[in-house]
Amino acid sequence: MATVELKNVSKSYGTVEVLRDINLELEQGEFVVFVGPSGCGKSTLLRMIAGLEDITGGELRIDGQPMNDVLPAKRGIAMVFQSYALYPHMTVFENMAFGLEQARLNKAEIRERVEKAAKMLQIEAFLDRKPKQLSGGQRQRVAIGRAITCDPRVFLFDEPLSNLDAALRVDTRLEIASLGKRLPDTTMVYVTHDQVEAMTLADRIVVLNGGIVEQVGTPMELYERPASQFVAGFIGSPRMNFLNGTVAAAHGAETYGIRPEHISLSPDAGDWRGRVILTERLGSDTFVHVEVDGVGPVNVRIEGRSEVHANDEVHLTPDPASVHLFDAKGRPIPG
Amino acid sequence: MKPPLWQSIGFYILVGVIVLQALFPFYYAILTSLEDGQALFEVNYLPRALNLANYQAMLSGGVFGKQILNSVFVATVVVILSLFLAVTAAYALSRIRFRGRGLLLLTVLSVSMFPQIAVLSGLFEVIRYFGLFNSLWSLVFSYMIFTLPFTVWVLTTFMRNLPIEIEEAAIMDGASSFTIIRRVFLPLMWPAMVTTGLLAFIHAWNEFLFALTFLSTDSQRTVPVAIALISGRSEFEIPWGNIMAASVIVTLPLVALVLVFQRKIVSGLTAGAVKG
């Protein structure tokens, strides 16, 4: 049972508090993603679980054991770094074996474990190469392989895709997702600032902002029932339209939120009337930016192609069931 | 595009001048060392004789062999101690946060500002106090005053450029600080260590003033002083042949070291521009 518990965990550098009262329970085998804007403390939180940063308040438990003062290597944790952090002077095999050597395993077992991990990640052909002879994606797989060989209870990923180009990022994302399925007992904690990675990989997402947890939930919970205006704006792409003024006031709220995909567009009839400013055509979708009279700029997503062009007059109708209302503090108002 | 002929010619003339300027003194030393008697005082630019008598005289007669060993001992110990202290200091100075780190680095550097002659008399007292006078350890001690600042600085800068995530990965792999230095940092720092080690070796090998001051007997001297003090049968005779033979002998180890480590030196000098 590899559960990770954080109780009132906080982190401060001198007088600067970067994380405050974090309470989380990660279950065994769960794939949890920490997501948030840069500077929200998500990487710090991950590094505290890893043991690379001291915990200045609260308690971390893994499988019920307090871990605050346990050395990183004794926590049963493996980590994949953003920059891969492979040892440049060692071959792929030596890179993957290094941790096992430190754990004083015998040679035969080291070889067996490394080869098993290499097979799983399809890097057997590169075992004798040095990291600089590998491409970015291969290096990332070696870094994951190095983590797998240690047979960790908890697997930590610190923005592992951000150094890869866009096409490779999607492939590697799928590989990490399938890795999560192939290691059903291993708890995965994954840090990213990219909400698409969070939505596609996570069993549960932890949204962090300004050093506190904004919301914890499954991707769909966050999408359908955001606990704050921040989460509503952060989850979902393109982001939710936030409207102030008369539209919001009419619903007794400070802010009126509606996702671009929950607005229908019609050339002749609708609740709102406006003028198209810009269209973005992606083939599968078209994003139409409309300046609505008396409301403000609104982004609308239309499936497939659309014949709407800039300067056209259009009518918009928000789906009333998908409206999110927020008060002045950004808290949701139950609809 | 091919450069015009006069440019190529000019380039090679310039190269020739530089090579000549650098190598001629050494070449002439070799020539002189192979001559004997009156031949020494005739100016010639091509070898006329191949007379190894000077070398024989230097190596068989007396203490010169011992003096070479003195130099080897001093320079080697200085290099080993400097690199060991510098690597551990560089690890602390580049990786561990503590109050006054910047000030400490500047202090280390400022030690190398003082001219040797300025610290000579004070250092002499220190060495007497520790009972090191006329011992080779006096040179090891005093040379490290000058080799440590630059070895520490170069290695600290180099280590700062190594990505910190590599070290963190090693921590996650369960390596102790000492293992991290030995298995991860040392292999990556080889070029920088070879370069700084070689510079420290050359400094210790060539140093004259301290070696002259802190050692008093012939059998303890290191080669630069020994060569300067080689004397002839009378005070009016300077044995150029012997002096030149000795000079050539003491140059060879340095040439050999540089040739052996040539490639590492180049990568060490350009290390700042290359990512680990």
Side-chain angles (χ1 to χ4, degrees), chain A residues 46-185:
Chain A
L46 188 81
R47 292 166 58 82
M48 283 160 77
I49 297 176
L52 294 170
E53 299 274 354
D54 288 335
I55 297 170
T56 49
E59 194 178 37
L60 166 71
R61 284 168 176 270
I62 296 176
D63 289 344
Q65 307 279 319
M67 286 286 152
N68 287 36
D69 300 315
V70 176
L71 286 173
K74 307 276 180 218
R75 295 186 181 195
I77 279 176
M79 183 156 170
V80 176
F81 292 87
Q82 182 175 356
S83 65
Y84 324 130
L86 300 174
Y87 311 120
H89 56 292
M90 298 185 194
T91 63
V92 169
F93 182 90
E94 287 164 341
N95 262 286
M96 292 169 72
F98 186 73
L100 302 176
E101 283 169 26
Q102 300 308 313
R104 312 219 176 280
L105 266 63
N106 65 47
K107 283 233 167 72
E109 186 165 0
I110 290 176
R111 176 155 288 281
E112 187 191 333
R113 284 223 214 168
V114 170
E115 277 169 1
K116 193 175 140 208
K119 194 166 188 178
M120 188 164 168
L121 294 160
Q122 295 156 1
I123 47 176
E124 299 141 291
F126 315 132
L127 282 178
D128 294 326
R129 294 202 200 163
K130 292 270 174 72
K132 68 178 168 202
Q133 294 164 291
L134 304 178
S135 70
Q138 289 164 345
R139 282 181 209 184
Q140 187 57 271
R141 269 190 270 166
V142 174
I144 293 173
R146 180 172 65 178
I148 289 179
T149 52
C150 298
D151 201 11
R153 297 185 287 181
V154 184
F155 216 130
L156 308 179
F157 295 89
D158 189 5
E159 308 215 15
L161 305 185
S162 50
N163 279 357
L164 301 176
D165 62 48
L168 204 52
R169 198 174 297 174
V170 176
D171 291 347
T172 314
R173 195 175 78 204
L174 289 171
E175 269 179 47
I176 291 177
S178 74
L179 183 72
K181 300 278 176 288
R182 273 181 289 171
L183 301 171
D185 294 334

Side-chain angles (χ1 to χ4, degrees), chain B residues 40-159:
Chain B
L40 277 174
F41 300 101
E42 286 163 24
V43 178
N44 58 304
Y45 296 107
L46 290 171
R48 284 204 192 137
L50 197 70
N51 187 343
L52 294 174
N54 288 321
Y55 289 90
Q56 248 165 12
M58 282 318 298
L59 290 176
S60 60
V63 292
F64 190 65
K66 171 79 164 60
Q67 289 163 337
I68 291 180
L69 289 182
N70 289 344
S71 270
V72 170
F73 173 79
V74 170
T76 311
V77 172
V78 165
V79 167
I80 292 172
L81 284 181
S82 296
L83 285 183
F84 176 74
L85 292 175
V87 165
T88 42
Y91 180 71
L93 287 167
S94 62
R95 284 295 198 254
I96 299 168
R97 287 164 185 275
F98 56 89
R99 197 184 290 269
R101 184 169 65 168
L103 188 70
L104 188 63
L105 262 176
L106 278 180
T107 313
V108 168
L109 188 66
S110 65
V111 168
S112 58
M113 290 189 315
F114 299 105
Q116 276 185 303
I117 194 73
V119 297
L120 187 65
S121 46
L123 202 55
F124 188 76
E125 288 301 317
V126 173
I127 279 170
R128 280 265 298 269
Y129 181 80
F130 284 119
L132 295 175
F133 183 72
N134 202 28
S135 150
L136 290 176
W137 291 102
S138 68
L139 297 190
V140 171
F141 176 74
S142 54
Y143 291 174
M144 281 185 20
I145 296 174
F146 294 94
T147 55
L148 268 178
F150 83 80
T151 45
V152 168
W153 258 81
V154 170
L155 294 183
T156 301
T157 320
F158 191 86
M159 208 180 264

Side-chain angles (χ1 to χ4, degrees), chain A residues 173 193-200 219-220 222-224 230-241 258-262 280 282 284-287 289 299-302:
Chain A
R173 195 175 78 204
H193 60 265
D194 180 359
Q195 60 94 18
V196 176
E197 280 173 33
M199 296 293 276
T200 50
M220 284 309 115
L222 299 195
Y223 180 82
E224 283 160 7
F230 174 83
V231 176
F234 198 82
I235 300 294
S237 171
R239 62 180 271 152
M240 186 185 280
N241 295 296
I258 182 80
R259 295 194 187 276
E261 54 269 38
H262 296 146
E280 296 172 297
L282 304 184
S284 59
D285 300 296
T286 306
F287 300 128
H289 297 266
N299 186 9
V300 183
R301 171 173 171 266
I302 296 165

